[in-house]
Amino acid sequence: MEVEVNVYAIDPGPVKSASVILDGEMILDAVIMNNHDLVQNIYLARAHFPIAIEMIASYGMPVGREVFETCLWIGRFIQAAHPHPVALVYRKDVKMHLCGSVRAKDPNIRQALLDRFGKEATKGVKKDM
């Protein structure tokens, strides 16, 4: 018998972050919110859902202030989830899982999400906020 597990997944940003609750088959909730508010949501969700956060990886290219601020928020999100463990998910792993290639670009990822979850997968993007 397979047990259904919902996952609270977070795509962090320097000011606002996207979060979804997934059941593996469909998106149950999706929202983009201020990071301060998201910390509070994680405190509330941590006992109910496993938490996964996209993690920053270095590829040898220079990065700016926003990347470092995002790293700080990832740390705050992990702290908010304590004592529950957090899975850190790297973008290359997401690309491989959804597209079968680490060379996939954002449009490829978006299309793979649309194919899997439908219109709900593209409820909004952080850059439009």
Side-chain angles (χ1 to χ4, degrees), residues 18-91:
S19 66
V20 297
I21 297 174
L22 301 160
D23 73 356
E25 296 296 320
M26 56 191 249
I27 295 171
L28 303 177
D29 187 41
V31 66
I32 297 172
M33 69 176 64
N34 179 287
N35 287 341
H36 291 283
D37 296 331
L38 183 55
V39 167
Q40 296 305 312
N41 276 15
I42 293 169
Y43 276 115
L44 297 173
R46 67 185 180 188
H48 304 288
F49 305 108
I51 297 173
I53 303 173
E54 184 176 334
M55 182 60 182
I56 304 286
S58 172
Y59 297 105
M61 299 296 290
V63 296
R65 176 186 57 84
E66 288 187 347
V67 170
F68 291 105
E69 289 175 3
T70 301
C71 290
L72 290 171
W73 279 108
I74 292 169
R76 292 195 64 193
F77 298 154
I78 293 168
Q79 183 181 24
H82 183 77
H84 299 283
V86 170
L88 296 177
V89 181
Y90 291 88
R91 189 159 181 85

Side-chain angles (χ1 to χ4, degrees), residues 20 27 30 110 112-124:
V20 297
I27 295 171
R110 185 176 193 280
L113 290 170
L114 278 169
D115 293 344
R116 182 167 182 178
F117 296 109
K119 197 167 129 182
E120 186 67 21
T122 59
K123 197 170 188 178

